[in-house]
Amino acid sequence: MTVITKSLVSNCADCPIRHRAVCARCEADELAQLEEIKYYRSFEAGQTIVWSNDRMDFVASVVSGVATLTQTMEDGRTQMVGLLLPSDFVGRPGRKGAAYDIVATTDLIMCCFRKKPFEKMMMETPHISHRLLEMTLDELDAAREWMLVLGRKTAREKIASLLNIVARRQPAFSPHGAVVFDLPLTREAMADYLGLTLETVSRQMSALRKAGVISLQGNRHVTVPDMARLMEAAGDDSDGGHLI
Amino acid sequence: MTVITKSLVSNCADCPIRHRAVCARCEADELAQLEEIKYYRSFEAGQTIVWSNDRMDFVASVVSGVATLTQTMEDGRTQMVGLLLPSDFVGRPGRKGAAYDIVATTDLIMCCFRKKPFEKMMMETPHISHRLLEMTLDELDAAREWMLVLGRKTAREKIASLLNIVARRQPAFSPHGAVVFDLPLTREAMADYLGLTLETVSRQMSALRKAGVISLQGNRHVTVPDMARLMEAAGDDSDGGHLI
DNA sequence: CGGGCCGATTGATCTGGATCAATGAGGCGA
DNA sequence: TCGCCTCATTGATCCAGATCAATCGGCCCG
């Protein structure tokens, strides 16, 4: 299943979340260097952070909130190609521009690093670039996992797969038993991620509710009484055990 | 559109193809080091190179022929998540196992590097790991591009998108005018790449033929008289101009 | 030369999800 | 409090692509 992307730096000083460690070595030095080129930005729900093909002069990691990466065809069809949850990294060191629209779907805080100095630091600090390679490989795995969802799963399975991903990223997640969380996406955004229409998303959410796989309080608040049943509905064999 | 993945080393001594350059610096030294850990393997069409979850103790680049990366669900549904053409790289430095089945779809020659020493060399030679990051970002872009194809394009557009990708990778490709090539995939493999059934692939190939967008000599040999028309059929706005 | 096999094509029918349309249910500003 | 706006649900109908099935054509092997 989708891999939880570890964040770039460990315990990023004044970030409100505890980033996971890059590795044990040299932390102090790197953190000091990263501190210098670091700044925070916050965005409101719905705000576009970067437009596709615009120049993007920073890389960043999500501190709180949720953002999406989206591709759009000229005729308006859109496909979401990435979901950025807290601790996820975004940005393409070595590339000038953004490849996709990046949109905040909830209020969002990002911890940004100016690109030029970040790249310089990357050149000088091998293990940062190894860490970045690691993270990019994780993203590639997640993208390919999603290709299976888009290409071969039914509407029902698609919905369950998405709920799975979001549920697993909750701070207090345990692989068996109940999970409760807020969906960070509208029905339309879910549809764009899953290659469906919003009507189909709505119908399948209702179907899962009627089947007792989930229960809903309002539009966004979800309770999953039994993760095993949800995974079954997702057509998912893996137990998520190889998540990092 | 899909990015042409540059190969890892430049002009790899006795490979029959000329790999593109990593960068101008230090070539001689690196080539010498790479020479030592390099070996060739050949496979027959249909042969599985690595099974998903098996350990994979090499990384490699395709010298000639075509291979695919495929994911399979327990109930047998399969989705191809990558197409490896000559000069493409495969392997995940820093990971033990393969994430997907790797299958040769034509006779295939790969230039392999034993993983352990390759990783060691990567640690010691920053610009190799930068190059690898670059290549992984290209693959990520390609995977995300394909997510749009899988999630939002019609059967007709999917077929045209695939033909586009293969056509662009022909040695003698020119963006306007005619292109002639052999499809490296069966109808079934095309279906697995596109999230369709083989019958739909066949019908849409016939439809494109009847519409004059392509012509077929036998099952595999394709002529595209006008790339612009093919791209139009693919619902593709880009002119492929940002390919490397 | 003939049979069997594999991949591809084509036809007939079915169906999951799209499309078109109406209704409901918060939230918010006047 | 009302009206509006955005998001979600639900219903009715349609259709692209799946499914089931028959046939074809090239190729290899006896």
Side-chain angles (χ1 to χ4, degrees):
Chain A
M1 269 304 299
T2 307
V3 168
I4 296 178
T5 306
K6 286 178 286 190
S7 109
L8 186 70
V9 292
S10 72
N11 192 19
C12 182
D14 36 278
C15 288
I17 58 162
R18 279 189 83 78
H19 290 177
R20 262 150 290 176
V22 183
C23 80
R25 294 175 294 125
C26 348
E27 273 188 24
D29 278 5
E30 278 149 26
L31 280 180
Q33 282 183 67
L34 282 168
E35 279 306 316
E36 284 173 29
I37 61 173
K38 182 176 96 175
Y39 58 100
Y40 291 90
R41 290 178 69 185
S42 51
F43 302 89
E44 286 173 18
Q47 215 180 332
T48 296
I49 298 168
V50 196
W51 293 97
S52 175
N53 300 318
D54 276 7
R55 71 176 275 103
M56 182 173 165
D57 51 9
F58 63 94
V59 300
S61 85
V62 176
V63 175
S64 67
V66 177
T68 61
L69 305 181
T70 303
Q71 261 183 320
T72 305
M73 294 171 66
E74 328 82 275
D75 63 7
R77 283 177 281 177
T78 71
Q79 175 65 51
M80 194 187 302
V81 297
L83 185 62
L84 300 171
L85 301 181
S87 91
D88 281 342
F89 181 79
V90 56
R92 304 150 29 102
R95 311 295 173 96
K96 318 116 276 203
Y100 317 102
D101 296 337
I102 307 179
V103 181
T105 61
T106 65
D107 290 345
L108 179 75
I109 299 175
M110 296 210 305
C111 173
C112 304
F113 303 92
R114 290 185 295 118
K115 185 141 79 184
K116 271 280 160 51
F118 183 88
E119 283 167 357
K120 179 162 169 290
M121 188 175 158
M122 207 180 92
M123 292 298 173
E124 291 160 359
T125 317
H127 95 255
I128 288 219
S129 85
H130 296 148
R131 184 73 196 90
L132 224 34
L133 176 58
E134 183 98 349
M135 284 166 34
T136 307
L137 283 169
D138 284 348
E139 279 185 80
L140 185 56
D141 282 345
R144 286 174 166 168
E145 179 78 32
W146 209 247
M147 286 171 65
L148 176 65
V149 173
L150 290 173
R152 293 302 187 193
K153 292 198 176 179
T154 64
R156 163 84 76 119
E157 291 170 330
K158 285 178 174 184
I159 299 284
S161 297
L162 176 56
L163 294 175
N164 241 316
I165 285 184
V166 177
R168 283 176 193 290
R169 292 291 300 269
Q170 294 313 115
F173 170 76
S174 86
H176 294 288
V179 192
V180 179
F181 57 93
D182 281 318
L183 270 175
L185 302 174
T186 63
R187 298 291 184 264
E188 188 178 17
M190 291 173 68
D192 283 342
Y193 201 18
L194 297 168
L196 297 171
T197 59
L198 69 92
E199 291 95 330
T200 298
V201 170
S202 183
R203 277 184 245 274
Q204 294 298 334
M205 289 288 285
S206 299
L208 285 174
R209 178 169 46 72
K210 280 167 193 155
V213 178
I214 60 174
S215 72
L216 295 168
Q217 296 78 46
N219 293 329
R220 298 291 193 95
H221 198 73
V222 180
T223 303
V224 180
D226 180 359
M227 280 302 291
R229 286 194 64 201
L230 181 62
M231 282 176 37
E232 200 182 321
D236 201 338
D237 49 336
S238 86
D239 59 6
H242 68 287
L243 292 182
I244 296 176
Chain B
M1 269 303 300
T2 307
V3 168
I4 296 179
T5 307
K6 286 179 286 189
S7 109
L8 185 70
V9 291
S10 71
N11 193 19
C12 180
D14 37 279
C15 287
I17 58 163
R18 279 189 84 80
H19 290 177
R20 261 149 290 175
V22 183
C23 79
R25 294 174 293 125
C26 347
E27 271 188 27
D29 278 4
E30 279 148 25
L31 280 179
Q33 283 182 68
L34 282 169
E35 278 307 314
E36 284 171 29
I37 61 173
K38 179 175 98 178
Y39 58 100
Y40 291 91
R41 290 178 70 186
S42 49
F43 302 89
E44 286 172 19
Q47 217 180 331
T48 296
I49 298 168
V50 196
W51 293 97
S52 176
N53 299 319
D54 277 6
R55 70 176 275 101
M56 184 172 163
D57 51 8
F58 63 95
V59 300
S61 85
V62 175
V63 176
S64 66
V66 176
T68 61
L69 305 181
T70 304
Q71 261 183 319
T72 305
M73 294 170 67
E74 329 83 273
D75 63 6
R77 283 177 282 178
T78 71
Q79 175 65 50
M80 194 187 301
V81 297
L83 186 61
L84 299 171
L85 302 182
S87 91
D88 281 343
F89 181 80
V90 57
R92 302 147 34 100
R95 311 295 173 94
K96 319 118 276 213
Y100 316 102
D101 296 336
I102 308 178
V103 181
T105 61
T106 65
D107 290 344
L108 179 74
I109 299 175
M110 296 210 304
C111 174
C112 305
F113 302 92
R114 289 185 296 117
K115 184 141 79 185
K116 272 280 159 51
F118 183 87
E119 283 167 357
K120 178 163 170 288
M121 188 174 158
M122 209 180 92
M123 292 299 173
E124 293 162 357
T125 317
H127 95 255
I128 289 217
S129 83
H130 295 147
R131 184 74 195 89
L132 225 33
L133 176 58
E134 183 96 350
M135 284 167 32
T136 307
L137 283 169
D138 283 348
E139 279 185 79
L140 185 56
D141 282 346
R144 286 173 166 168
E145 178 78 32
W146 209 246
M147 286 171 65
L148 175 64
V149 173
L150 290 173
R152 292 301 186 192
K153 292 198 177 180
T154 64
R156 162 83 76 119
E157 290 169 331
K158 286 178 173 183
I159 298 284
S161 297
L162 176 55
L163 294 174
N164 241 315
I165 284 184
V166 176
R168 282 175 195 289
R169 291 292 299 269
Q170 293 313 114
F173 169 77
S174 87
H176 293 288
V179 192
V180 179
F181 58 92
D182 281 318
L183 270 175
L185 302 175
T186 64
R187 297 290 184 265
E188 189 178 17
M190 291 173 68
D192 283 342
Y193 201 18
L194 297 168
L196 297 172
T197 58
L198 69 91
E199 292 95 329
T200 299
V201 170
S202 184
R203 277 184 244 276
Q204 293 298 336
M205 289 288 285
S206 298
L208 285 174
R209 178 169 46 73
K210 279 167 193 155
V213 177
I214 60 173
S215 71
L216 295 168
Q217 298 77 47
N219 293 330
R220 299 292 195 95
H221 198 74
V222 180
T223 304
V224 180
D226 180 357
M227 280 302 291
R229 286 195 64 199
L230 182 62
M231 283 177 36
E232 200 181 322
D236 201 339
D237 49 336
S238 84
D239 57 7
H242 68 288
L243 293 181
I244 296 176

